[in-house]
Amino acid sequence: MTETPDSTFRQELNRRRTFAIISHPDAGKTTITEKLLLFGGAISMAGAVRARRGKSAASDFIAIEKQRGISVSTSVMSFEYGDYAVNLLDTPGHEDFSEDTYRVLTAVDSALMVIDSAKGVEARTLKLMEVCRLRDTPVMSFCNKFDRESLDPFELMDHIEKHLRMTCVPMTWPIGMGREFQGVYDLASREVIFYQPADKGRKNATIALSPDDPALDDEVGAKAADKLREDLALIEGAAAPFDRKAFLAGRQTPVFFGSAINNFGVQELLDCFVKHAPGPQPRETTTRVVEPEETPFTGFVFKIQANLDPSHRDRMAFVRITSGEYKRGMKLRHVRTGRDVGVNNATTFLARDRTITEQAFPGDIIGLHNHGSIRIGDAFTEGEALKFTGIPSFAPEIFRRARLMDPMKSKSLLKGLEQLAEEGAAQLFRPLFGQDYLLGALGLLQFDVIQSRLENEYNVRALFEQVPYQAARWVKSDDEAALDRFVEQNRDRMYRDLSDTLTFVANTEWAINYAADQNPKLRFLKTMEIA
Ligand code: G4P
């Protein structure tokens, strides 16, 4: 049968897998990313991703990243694995992170959760999972570092179930741990895969053996063999079987055990992932649901990265394609401004380098160059006036007041802050009464980024002063009188954000909760759709 353009489109659509890795810092995200890229043939040498932690790396775009040897902004890595085209959206894994980290999760169809098996589910993972919950994103789990002393695997699964309200389905099961880690049992193929500590990045040799085989005792020792048989009996009796529907609905998470640094257990994970993780999913808009199979191109911006070339104020808008096919040179409508633009130089993100895109499909991410005209949440279509929903803004947790070093430059400061806030670098709040603008962020590093960008791009030197605030909520109500009363009572705590939404800041979370208790007619919002 000859292939029609339509069947090519469908094939391309169906083989897309777009996901992100969520984890607490140090759980092993960088290590796993590197192994995934190795399997995908996207890098040929272990250490290429880790090099990012050194002083320079391909995906470090902006000066501050290089300075600190970390990747501040989320980037995209695309690679082929078997028949699949995989897009891995990276989330910053260090202590400081920003709304980008959260928003990237709105652009994926599934997520991979990496857990340090000695620690279980940690704080950052919990927070990121909250965002996955908003859209019931399917999640696969990898319990890493089994070559070290770990929590008991049953305990680990309990921990995940309790904290993340998902049923765990073991896909592999560890034999021993730490020095006595011997391998995993693959519950699907009913084989034992032996662990052989490998040089970083080298693929492990594996031997298959059924657990019923008496030879298992010889291979792993009678004690470990008996323990495995016992564990398996327990699992067969108690654990739910894998149910793809439940996984796709975000109710079940398949769990793998291994050691990323030794490249053990990662390939089983990747194989299961490409097979079962969902392809491009529909996306909601204010008017209708956009299905990925629709022919007209649609997409939304989930991230802006600036300063690719500081002298040009060059910015890259990351667009997640939600339907249709992108072809180089096509005209796209920038819905918010109503302008039609010819797109000749969209970028894709092959893990090796960035290239100009000829073609891209739903699930892919393309980068559009611009000079500040594109904002987070913007839609691109072939004419339809769509507005995508579900791209959240999060109430900041750290606040600073910007103080100008050179009083002649207050206009430039405000312009710089406004533009950087529009890009999503931090949030800007204008006081209802008074002069001092407030900046809010989720990670401390965001202030450093803003400070250095103000200097480099806007030629403004500013200092960021500590303020006593630690919490904020957007405040809404249908009862205007109640809202006015609240504003009057809290004059020095009331601000408006860039979208003009009323915002209340407080010294503690407790004060916010108290205000909410005292003002039942008001809604205090911690997350809000980008307007
Ligand atoms: P992150 O991106 O989630 O922050 O974690 P990353 O991969 O950087 O891993 C954090 C540390 O844990 C690294 O050690 C890494 O080598 C180690 N690690 C990752 N996977 C495993 C594993 O399966 N077993 C063991 N034992 N360790 C693992 P580091 O000392 O911080 O860095 P490095 O000296 O290895 O570069």
Side-chain angles (χ1 to χ4, degrees), residues 23-33 50 53 93-94 114 116 142 144-148 195 200 258-264:
S23 67
H24 193 78
D26 267 357
K29 184 172 63 81
T30 311
T31 312
I32 287 226
T33 301
R50 301 196 67 72
R53 296 186 140 197
H94 51 83
V114 178
D116 182 334
F142 185 76
N144 190 26
K145 305 195 186 182
F146 250 80
D147 59 314
R148 289 197 185 159
Y195 166 65
K200 286 181 186 177
S259 168
I261 194 93
N262 290 294
N263 207 6
F264 187 78

PDB file of all heavy atoms in Angstrom, residues 23-33 50 53 93-94 114 116 142 144-148 195 200 258-264, ligand 1:
ATOM      1  N   SER A  23      12.077  14.642  39.943  1.00  0.00           N
ATOM      2  CA  SER A  23      12.812  14.035  41.053  1.00  0.00           C
ATOM      3  C   SER A  23      13.259  15.124  42.014  1.00  0.00           C
ATOM      4  O   SER A  23      13.191  16.306  41.701  1.00  0.00           O
ATOM      5  CB  SER A  23      14.043  13.305  40.528  1.00  0.00           C
ATOM      6  OG  SER A  23      14.963  14.232  40.007  1.00  0.00           O
ATOM      7  N   HIS A  24      13.717  14.697  43.153  1.00  0.00           N
ATOM      8  CA  HIS A  24      14.334  15.604  44.104  1.00  0.00           C
ATOM      9  C   HIS A  24      15.812  15.710  43.705  1.00  0.00           C
ATOM     10  O   HIS A  24      16.363  14.743  43.180  1.00  0.00           O
ATOM     11  CB  HIS A  24      14.192  15.003  45.508  1.00  0.00           C
ATOM     12  CG  HIS A  24      14.497  15.974  46.596  1.00  0.00           C
ATOM     13  ND1 HIS A  24      13.604  16.930  46.995  1.00  0.00           N
ATOM     14  CD2 HIS A  24      15.598  16.146  47.353  1.00  0.00           C
ATOM     15  CE1 HIS A  24      14.138  17.642  47.967  1.00  0.00           C
ATOM     16  NE2 HIS A  24      15.354  17.191  48.195  1.00  0.00           N
ATOM     17  N   PRO A  25      16.451  16.863  43.961  1.00  0.00           N
ATOM     18  CA  PRO A  25      17.869  16.960  43.604  1.00  0.00           C
ATOM     19  C   PRO A  25      18.677  15.787  44.180  1.00  0.00           C
ATOM     20  O   PRO A  25      18.432  15.380  45.313  1.00  0.00           O
ATOM     21  CB  PRO A  25      18.296  18.275  44.261  1.00  0.00           C
ATOM     22  CG  PRO A  25      17.054  19.088  44.327  1.00  0.00           C
ATOM     23  CD  PRO A  25      15.926  18.122  44.505  1.00  0.00           C
ATOM     24  N   ASP A  26      19.562  15.268  43.360  1.00  0.00           N
ATOM     25  CA  ASP A  26      20.488  14.193  43.759  1.00  0.00           C
ATOM     26  C   ASP A  26      19.912  12.791  43.683  1.00  0.00           C
ATOM     27  O   ASP A  26      20.599  11.834  44.023  1.00  0.00           O
ATOM     28  CB  ASP A  26      21.050  14.402  45.182  1.00  0.00           C
ATOM     29  CG  ASP A  26      22.365  15.135  45.119  1.00  0.00           C
ATOM     30  OD1 ASP A  26      22.827  15.398  43.992  1.00  0.00           O
ATOM     31  OD2 ASP A  26      22.921  15.458  46.174  1.00  0.00           O
ATOM     32  N   ALA A  27      18.669  12.666  43.257  1.00  0.00           N
ATOM     33  CA  ALA A  27      18.092  11.318  43.172  1.00  0.00           C
ATOM     34  C   ALA A  27      18.670  10.548  41.987  1.00  0.00           C
ATOM     35  O   ALA A  27      18.658   9.315  41.970  1.00  0.00           O
ATOM     36  CB  ALA A  27      16.578  11.402  43.053  1.00  0.00           C
ATOM     37  N   GLY A  28      19.202  11.295  40.981  1.00  0.00           N
ATOM     38  CA  GLY A  28      19.818  10.602  39.850  1.00  0.00           C
ATOM     39  C   GLY A  28      19.247  11.000  38.500  1.00  0.00           C
ATOM     40  O   GLY A  28      19.445  10.302  37.508  1.00  0.00           O
ATOM     41  N   LYS A  29      18.567  12.147  38.442  1.00  0.00           N
ATOM     42  CA  LYS A  29      17.943  12.561  37.177  1.00  0.00           C
ATOM     43  C   LYS A  29      18.983  12.758  36.067  1.00  0.00           C
ATOM     44  O   LYS A  29      18.788  12.286  34.944  1.00  0.00           O
ATOM     45  CB  LYS A  29      17.164  13.858  37.384  1.00  0.00           C
ATOM     46  CG  LYS A  29      16.417  14.304  36.148  1.00  0.00           C
ATOM     47  CD  LYS A  29      15.514  15.458  36.456  1.00  0.00           C
ATOM     48  CE  LYS A  29      16.285  16.667  36.906  1.00  0.00           C
ATOM     49  NZ  LYS A  29      16.847  17.447  35.806  1.00  0.00           N
ATOM     50  N   THR A  30      20.065  13.445  36.383  1.00  0.00           N
ATOM     51  CA  THR A  30      21.089  13.692  35.369  1.00  0.00           C
ATOM     52  C   THR A  30      21.655  12.370  34.869  1.00  0.00           C
ATOM     53  O   THR A  30      21.846  12.169  33.661  1.00  0.00           O
ATOM     54  CB  THR A  30      22.240  14.543  35.962  1.00  0.00           C
ATOM     55  OG1 THR A  30      21.662  15.661  36.628  1.00  0.00           O
ATOM     56  CG2 THR A  30      23.185  15.014  34.892  1.00  0.00           C
ATOM     57  N   THR A  31      21.908  11.469  35.806  1.00  0.00           N
ATOM     58  CA  THR A  31      22.487  10.172  35.442  1.00  0.00           C
ATOM     59  C   THR A  31      21.541   9.399  34.532  1.00  0.00           C
ATOM     60  O   THR A  31      21.947   8.856  33.511  1.00  0.00           O
ATOM     61  CB  THR A  31      22.783   9.370  36.727  1.00  0.00           C
ATOM     62  OG1 THR A  31      23.481  10.217  37.637  1.00  0.00           O
ATOM     63  CG2 THR A  31      23.623   8.153  36.426  1.00  0.00           C
ATOM     64  N   ILE A  32      20.269   9.362  34.896  1.00  0.00           N
ATOM     65  CA  ILE A  32      19.286   8.650  34.065  1.00  0.00           C
ATOM     66  C   ILE A  32      19.150   9.309  32.700  1.00  0.00           C
ATOM     67  O   ILE A  32      19.103   8.630  31.674  1.00  0.00           O
ATOM     68  CB  ILE A  32      17.903   8.632  34.755  1.00  0.00           C
ATOM     69  CG1 ILE A  32      17.950   7.667  35.919  1.00  0.00           C
ATOM     70  CG2 ILE A  32      16.800   8.299  33.788  1.00  0.00           C
ATOM     71  CD1 ILE A  32      16.791   6.736  36.013  1.00  0.00           C
ATOM     72  N   THR A  33      19.090  10.628  32.686  1.00  0.00           N
ATOM     73  CA  THR A  33      18.970  11.344  31.408  1.00  0.00           C
ATOM     74  C   THR A  33      20.094  10.903  30.480  1.00  0.00           C
ATOM     75  O   THR A  33      19.879  10.615  29.300  1.00  0.00           O
ATOM     76  CB  THR A  33      19.048  12.875  31.642  1.00  0.00           C
ATOM     77  OG1 THR A  33      18.007  13.237  32.520  1.00  0.00           O
ATOM     78  CG2 THR A  33      18.915  13.642  30.349  1.00  0.00           C
ATOM     79  N   ARG A  50      26.548  15.005  32.293  1.00  0.00           N
ATOM     80  CA  ARG A  50      27.122  15.407  33.574  1.00  0.00           C
ATOM     81  C   ARG A  50      28.047  16.612  33.396  1.00  0.00           C
ATOM     82  O   ARG A  50      28.226  17.397  34.321  1.00  0.00           O
ATOM     83  CB  ARG A  50      27.905  14.263  34.198  1.00  0.00           C
ATOM     84  CG  ARG A  50      27.076  13.032  34.433  1.00  0.00           C
ATOM     85  CD  ARG A  50      27.770  12.109  35.389  1.00  0.00           C
ATOM     86  NE  ARG A  50      27.845  12.687  36.715  1.00  0.00           N
ATOM     87  CZ  ARG A  50      26.809  12.825  37.512  1.00  0.00           C
ATOM     88  NH1 ARG A  50      25.614  12.470  37.117  1.00  0.00           N
ATOM     89  NH2 ARG A  50      26.950  13.354  38.697  1.00  0.00           N
ATOM     90  N   ARG A  53      27.338  19.923  34.656  1.00  0.00           N
ATOM     91  CA  ARG A  53      27.600  20.370  36.018  1.00  0.00           C
ATOM     92  C   ARG A  53      28.968  21.000  36.122  1.00  0.00           C
ATOM     93  O   ARG A  53      29.299  21.629  37.103  1.00  0.00           O
ATOM     94  CB  ARG A  53      27.510  19.186  36.964  1.00  0.00           C
ATOM     95  CG  ARG A  53      26.149  18.604  37.015  1.00  0.00           C
ATOM     96  CD  ARG A  53      26.157  17.572  38.070  1.00  0.00           C
ATOM     97  NE  ARG A  53      24.932  17.622  38.819  1.00  0.00           N
ATOM     98  CZ  ARG A  53      24.787  17.053  39.993  1.00  0.00           C
ATOM     99  NH1 ARG A  53      25.791  16.425  40.546  1.00  0.00           N
ATOM    100  NH2 ARG A  53      23.643  17.120  40.619  1.00  0.00           N
ATOM    101  N   GLY A  93      17.152  20.546  38.263  1.00  0.00           N
ATOM    102  CA  GLY A  93      17.137  19.623  39.390  1.00  0.00           C
ATOM    103  C   GLY A  93      17.848  20.138  40.620  1.00  0.00           C
ATOM    104  O   GLY A  93      17.886  19.477  41.632  1.00  0.00           O
ATOM    105  N   HIS A  94      18.385  21.307  40.547  1.00  0.00           N
ATOM    106  CA  HIS A  94      19.124  21.823  41.698  1.00  0.00           C
ATOM    107  C   HIS A  94      18.169  22.481  42.688  1.00  0.00           C
ATOM    108  O   HIS A  94      16.968  22.558  42.447  1.00  0.00           O
ATOM    109  CB  HIS A  94      20.192  22.801  41.229  1.00  0.00           C
ATOM    110  CG  HIS A  94      19.631  23.849  40.330  1.00  0.00           C
ATOM    111  ND1 HIS A  94      19.018  24.966  40.808  1.00  0.00           N
ATOM    112  CD2 HIS A  94      19.516  23.894  38.988  1.00  0.00           C
ATOM    113  CE1 HIS A  94      18.573  25.676  39.794  1.00  0.00           C
ATOM    114  NE2 HIS A  94      18.863  25.045  38.681  1.00  0.00           N
ATOM    115  N   VAL A 114      11.933   9.721  39.409  1.00  0.00           N
ATOM    116  CA  VAL A 114      13.137   9.040  39.886  1.00  0.00           C
ATOM    117  C   VAL A 114      13.243   9.256  41.390  1.00  0.00           C
ATOM    118  O   VAL A 114      13.174  10.390  41.867  1.00  0.00           O
ATOM    119  CB  VAL A 114      14.405   9.580  39.185  1.00  0.00           C
ATOM    120  CG1 VAL A 114      15.642   8.885  39.727  1.00  0.00           C
ATOM    121  CG2 VAL A 114      14.298   9.384  37.690  1.00  0.00           C
ATOM    122  N   ASP A 116      15.334   8.337  45.030  1.00  0.00           N
ATOM    123  CA  ASP A 116      16.506   7.786  45.717  1.00  0.00           C
ATOM    124  C   ASP A 116      15.980   6.733  46.692  1.00  0.00           C
ATOM    125  O   ASP A 116      15.253   7.054  47.634  1.00  0.00           O
ATOM    126  CB  ASP A 116      17.222   8.927  46.457  1.00  0.00           C
ATOM    127  CG  ASP A 116      18.477   8.444  47.165  1.00  0.00           C
ATOM    128  OD1 ASP A 116      18.547   7.236  47.514  1.00  0.00           O
ATOM    129  OD2 ASP A 116      19.378   9.267  47.372  1.00  0.00           O
ATOM    130  N   PHE A 142      11.037   5.051  38.900  1.00  0.00           N
ATOM    131  CA  PHE A 142      12.304   4.316  38.939  1.00  0.00           C
ATOM    132  C   PHE A 142      12.921   4.502  40.317  1.00  0.00           C
ATOM    133  O   PHE A 142      13.224   5.629  40.724  1.00  0.00           O
ATOM    134  CB  PHE A 142      13.255   4.845  37.854  1.00  0.00           C
ATOM    135  CG  PHE A 142      14.531   4.048  37.749  1.00  0.00           C
ATOM    136  CD1 PHE A 142      14.547   2.801  37.126  1.00  0.00           C
ATOM    137  CD2 PHE A 142      15.723   4.537  38.273  1.00  0.00           C
ATOM    138  CE1 PHE A 142      15.719   2.061  37.026  1.00  0.00           C
ATOM    139  CE2 PHE A 142      16.901   3.804  38.169  1.00  0.00           C
ATOM    140  CZ  PHE A 142      16.899   2.560  37.547  1.00  0.00           C
ATOM    141  N   ASN A 144      15.940   4.301  42.315  1.00  0.00           N
ATOM    142  CA  ASN A 144      17.351   4.315  41.921  1.00  0.00           C
ATOM    143  C   ASN A 144      18.276   3.991  43.096  1.00  0.00           C
ATOM    144  O   ASN A 144      17.858   3.987  44.245  1.00  0.00           O
ATOM    145  CB  ASN A 144      17.662   5.713  41.353  1.00  0.00           C
ATOM    146  CG  ASN A 144      19.009   5.770  40.685  1.00  0.00           C
ATOM    147  OD1 ASN A 144      19.517   4.748  40.201  1.00  0.00           O
ATOM    148  ND2 ASN A 144      19.611   6.948  40.655  1.00  0.00           N
ATOM    149  N   LYS A 145      19.503   3.728  42.754  1.00  0.00           N
ATOM    150  CA  LYS A 145      20.608   3.537  43.718  1.00  0.00           C
ATOM    151  C   LYS A 145      20.463   2.278  44.546  1.00  0.00           C
ATOM    152  O   LYS A 145      20.801   2.272  45.730  1.00  0.00           O
ATOM    153  CB  LYS A 145      20.751   4.762  44.646  1.00  0.00           C
ATOM    154  CG  LYS A 145      20.929   6.083  43.906  1.00  0.00           C
ATOM    155  CD  LYS A 145      21.418   7.163  44.829  1.00  0.00           C
ATOM    156  CE  LYS A 145      21.451   8.517  44.139  1.00  0.00           C
ATOM    157  NZ  LYS A 145      21.948   9.589  44.960  1.00  0.00           N
ATOM    158  N   PHE A 146      19.955   1.213  43.923  1.00  0.00           N
ATOM    159  CA  PHE A 146      19.847  -0.038  44.678  1.00  0.00           C
ATOM    160  C   PHE A 146      21.200  -0.687  44.946  1.00  0.00           C
ATOM    161  O   PHE A 146      21.297  -1.645  45.703  1.00  0.00           O
ATOM    162  CB  PHE A 146      18.857  -1.010  44.008  1.00  0.00           C
ATOM    163  CG  PHE A 146      17.624  -1.152  44.841  1.00  0.00           C
ATOM    164  CD1 PHE A 146      16.629  -0.199  44.791  1.00  0.00           C
ATOM    165  CD2 PHE A 146      17.493  -2.203  45.748  1.00  0.00           C
ATOM    166  CE1 PHE A 146      15.519  -0.278  45.614  1.00  0.00           C
ATOM    167  CE2 PHE A 146      16.388  -2.296  46.571  1.00  0.00           C
ATOM    168  CZ  PHE A 146      15.398  -1.335  46.519  1.00  0.00           C
ATOM    169  N   ASP A 147      22.241  -0.148  44.336  1.00  0.00           N
ATOM    170  CA  ASP A 147      23.583  -0.635  44.669  1.00  0.00           C
ATOM    171  C   ASP A 147      24.021  -0.109  46.028  1.00  0.00           C
ATOM    172  O   ASP A 147      25.097  -0.427  46.518  1.00  0.00           O
ATOM    173  CB  ASP A 147      24.578  -0.194  43.589  1.00  0.00           C
ATOM    174  CG  ASP A 147      24.610   1.323  43.453  1.00  0.00           C
ATOM    175  OD1 ASP A 147      23.524   1.942  43.405  1.00  0.00           O
ATOM    176  OD2 ASP A 147      25.710   1.891  43.406  1.00  0.00           O
ATOM    177  N   ARG A 148      23.176   0.738  46.636  1.00  0.00           N
ATOM    178  CA  ARG A 148      23.442   1.219  47.995  1.00  0.00           C
ATOM    179  C   ARG A 148      22.389   0.671  48.930  1.00  0.00           C
ATOM    180  O   ARG A 148      21.351   0.192  48.495  1.00  0.00           O
ATOM    181  CB  ARG A 148      23.364   2.741  48.032  1.00  0.00           C
ATOM    182  CG  ARG A 148      24.486   3.389  47.348  1.00  0.00           C
ATOM    183  CD  ARG A 148      24.528   4.818  47.803  1.00  0.00           C
ATOM    184  NE  ARG A 148      25.540   5.561  47.076  1.00  0.00           N
ATOM    185  CZ  ARG A 148      25.536   6.867  46.960  1.00  0.00           C
ATOM    186  NH1 ARG A 148      24.568   7.550  47.530  1.00  0.00           N
ATOM    187  NH2 ARG A 148      26.480   7.488  46.305  1.00  0.00           N
ATOM    188  N   TYR A 195      22.801  -8.308  37.954  1.00  0.00           N
ATOM    189  CA  TYR A 195      23.479  -7.018  38.051  1.00  0.00           C
ATOM    190  C   TYR A 195      24.984  -7.217  37.978  1.00  0.00           C
ATOM    191  O   TYR A 195      25.541  -8.041  38.713  1.00  0.00           O
ATOM    192  CB  TYR A 195      23.103  -6.378  39.385  1.00  0.00           C
ATOM    193  CG  TYR A 195      23.945  -5.209  39.799  1.00  0.00           C
ATOM    194  CD1 TYR A 195      23.940  -4.035  39.053  1.00  0.00           C
ATOM    195  CD2 TYR A 195      24.720  -5.258  40.964  1.00  0.00           C
ATOM    196  CE1 TYR A 195      24.695  -2.948  39.455  1.00  0.00           C
ATOM    197  CE2 TYR A 195      25.464  -4.162  41.369  1.00  0.00           C
ATOM    198  CZ  TYR A 195      25.456  -3.014  40.604  1.00  0.00           C
ATOM    199  OH  TYR A 195      26.197  -1.947  40.999  1.00  0.00           O
ATOM    200  N   LYS A 200      30.807   3.492  34.148  1.00  0.00           N
ATOM    201  CA  LYS A 200      29.742   4.451  33.878  1.00  0.00           C
ATOM    202  C   LYS A 200      29.344   4.397  32.413  1.00  0.00           C
ATOM    203  O   LYS A 200      30.153   4.604  31.536  1.00  0.00           O
ATOM    204  CB  LYS A 200      30.206   5.859  34.233  1.00  0.00           C
ATOM    205  CG  LYS A 200      30.250   6.077  35.726  1.00  0.00           C
ATOM    206  CD  LYS A 200      30.674   7.475  36.058  1.00  0.00           C
ATOM    207  CE  LYS A 200      30.844   7.601  37.569  1.00  0.00           C
ATOM    208  NZ  LYS A 200      31.320   8.905  37.954  1.00  0.00           N
ATOM    209  N   GLY A 258      16.591  -0.267  40.191  1.00  0.00           N
ATOM    210  CA  GLY A 258      17.879  -0.385  39.509  1.00  0.00           C
ATOM    211  C   GLY A 258      18.923   0.568  40.033  1.00  0.00           C
ATOM    212  O   GLY A 258      18.782   1.141  41.126  1.00  0.00           O
ATOM    213  N   SER A 259      19.943   0.733  39.226  1.00  0.00           N
ATOM    214  CA  SER A 259      21.038   1.617  39.579  1.00  0.00           C
ATOM    215  C   SER A 259      21.464   2.354  38.320  1.00  0.00           C
ATOM    216  O   SER A 259      22.096   1.784  37.438  1.00  0.00           O
ATOM    217  CB  SER A 259      22.207   0.796  40.142  1.00  0.00           C
ATOM    218  OG  SER A 259      23.348   1.616  40.215  1.00  0.00           O
ATOM    219  N   ALA A 260      21.061   3.611  38.265  1.00  0.00           N
ATOM    220  CA  ALA A 260      21.289   4.361  37.027  1.00  0.00           C
ATOM    221  C   ALA A 260      22.771   4.499  36.728  1.00  0.00           C
ATOM    222  O   ALA A 260      23.196   4.355  35.581  1.00  0.00           O
ATOM    223  CB  ALA A 260      20.643   5.739  37.129  1.00  0.00           C
ATOM    224  N   ILE A 261      23.553   4.749  37.757  1.00  0.00           N
ATOM    225  CA  ILE A 261      24.980   4.992  37.530  1.00  0.00           C
ATOM    226  C   ILE A 261      25.639   3.754  36.922  1.00  0.00           C
ATOM    227  O   ILE A 261      26.578   3.848  36.150  1.00  0.00           O
ATOM    228  CB  ILE A 261      25.689   5.430  38.833  1.00  0.00           C
ATOM    229  CG1 ILE A 261      27.071   6.008  38.529  1.00  0.00           C
ATOM    230  CG2 ILE A 261      25.859   4.314  39.822  1.00  0.00           C
ATOM    231  CD1 ILE A 261      27.040   7.478  38.355  1.00  0.00           C
ATOM    232  N   ASN A 262      25.126   2.589  37.279  1.00  0.00           N
ATOM    233  CA  ASN A 262      25.657   1.347  36.722  1.00  0.00           C
ATOM    234  C   ASN A 262      24.877   0.896  35.500  1.00  0.00           C
ATOM    235  O   ASN A 262      25.046  -0.228  35.035  1.00  0.00           O
ATOM    236  CB  ASN A 262      25.629   0.251  37.784  1.00  0.00           C
ATOM    237  CG  ASN A 262      26.645   0.520  38.862  1.00  0.00           C
ATOM    238  OD1 ASN A 262      27.838   0.496  38.608  1.00  0.00           O
ATOM    239  ND2 ASN A 262      26.173   0.826  40.058  1.00  0.00           N
ATOM    240  N   ASN A 263      24.020   1.770  35.049  1.00  0.00           N
ATOM    241  CA  ASN A 263      23.246   1.496  33.854  1.00  0.00           C
ATOM    242  C   ASN A 263      22.416   0.226  34.014  1.00  0.00           C
ATOM    243  O   ASN A 263      22.216  -0.526  33.073  1.00  0.00           O
ATOM    244  CB  ASN A 263      24.196   1.341  32.673  1.00  0.00           C
ATOM    245  CG  ASN A 263      23.510   1.702  31.383  1.00  0.00           C
ATOM    246  OD1 ASN A 263      22.367   2.167  31.412  1.00  0.00           O
ATOM    247  ND2 ASN A 263      24.168   1.481  30.273  1.00  0.00           N
ATOM    248  N   PHE A 264      21.942   0.005  35.205  1.00  0.00           N
ATOM    249  CA  PHE A 264      21.213  -1.230  35.450  1.00  0.00           C
ATOM    250  C   PHE A 264      19.741  -0.950  35.710  1.00  0.00           C
ATOM    251  O   PHE A 264      19.388  -0.206  36.625  1.00  0.00           O
ATOM    252  CB  PHE A 264      21.814  -1.976  36.643  1.00  0.00           C
ATOM    253  CG  PHE A 264      21.200  -3.330  36.810  1.00  0.00           C
ATOM    254  CD1 PHE A 264      21.586  -4.382  36.001  1.00  0.00           C
ATOM    255  CD2 PHE A 264      20.183  -3.545  37.722  1.00  0.00           C
ATOM    256  CE1 PHE A 264      20.986  -5.619  36.113  1.00  0.00           C
ATOM    257  CE2 PHE A 264      19.579  -4.766  37.846  1.00  0.00           C
ATOM    258  CZ  PHE A 264      19.985  -5.816  37.037  1.00  0.00           C
TER     259      PHE A 264
HETATM  260  P1  G4P B   1      20.260  14.774  40.009  1.00  0.00           P
HETATM  261  O1  G4P B   1      20.453  15.115  38.574  1.00  0.00           O
HETATM  262  O2  G4P B   1      18.918  14.173  40.290  1.00  0.00           O
HETATM  263  O3  G4P B   1      20.589  15.874  40.949  1.00  0.00           O
HETATM  264  O4  G4P B   1      21.268  13.581  40.378  1.00  0.00           O
HETATM  265  P2  G4P B   1      22.580  13.053  39.651  1.00  0.00           P
HETATM  266  O5  G4P B   1      22.241  12.217  38.481  1.00  0.00           O
HETATM  267  O6  G4P B   1      23.535  14.166  39.469  1.00  0.00           O
HETATM  268  O7  G4P B   1      23.087  12.070  40.783  1.00  0.00           O
HETATM  269  C1  G4P B   1      23.379  12.535  42.097  1.00  0.00           C
HETATM  270  C2  G4P B   1      24.497  11.698  42.680  1.00  0.00           C
HETATM  271  O8  G4P B   1      24.048  10.343  42.815  1.00  0.00           O
HETATM  272  C3  G4P B   1      25.737  11.654  41.804  1.00  0.00           C
HETATM  273  O9  G4P B   1      26.857  11.544  42.679  1.00  0.00           O
HETATM  274  C4  G4P B   1      25.567  10.356  41.054  1.00  0.00           C
HETATM  275  O10 G4P B   1      26.800   9.813  40.634  1.00  0.00           O
HETATM  276  C5  G4P B   1      24.921   9.485  42.109  1.00  0.00           C
HETATM  277  N1  G4P B   1      24.145   8.387  41.532  1.00  0.00           N
HETATM  278  C6  G4P B   1      23.243   8.416  40.512  1.00  0.00           C
HETATM  279  N2  G4P B   1      22.736   7.191  40.288  1.00  0.00           N
HETATM  280  C7  G4P B   1      23.310   6.365  41.181  1.00  0.00           C
HETATM  281  C8  G4P B   1      23.212   4.972  41.441  1.00  0.00           C
HETATM  282  O11 G4P B   1      22.501   4.216  40.791  1.00  0.00           O
HETATM  283  N3  G4P B   1      23.966   4.491  42.471  1.00  0.00           N
HETATM  284  C9  G4P B   1      24.811   5.274  43.201  1.00  0.00           C
HETATM  285  N4  G4P B   1      25.491   4.694  44.174  1.00  0.00           N
HETATM  286  N5  G4P B   1      24.929   6.585  42.982  1.00  0.00           N
HETATM  287  C10 G4P B   1      24.199   7.126  41.983  1.00  0.00           C
HETATM  288  P3  G4P B   1      27.770  12.781  43.006  1.00  0.00           P
HETATM  289  O12 G4P B   1      28.768  12.301  43.978  1.00  0.00           O
HETATM  290  O13 G4P B   1      26.930  13.954  43.401  1.00  0.00           O
HETATM  291  O14 G4P B   1      28.377  13.141  41.624  1.00  0.00           O
HETATM  292  P4  G4P B   1      29.573  12.410  40.867  1.00  0.00           P
HETATM  293  O15 G4P B   1      30.743  12.580  41.758  1.00  0.00           O
HETATM  294  O16 G4P B   1      29.196  10.974  40.685  1.00  0.00           O
HETATM  295  O17 G4P B   1      29.666  13.157  39.601  1.00  0.00           O
END
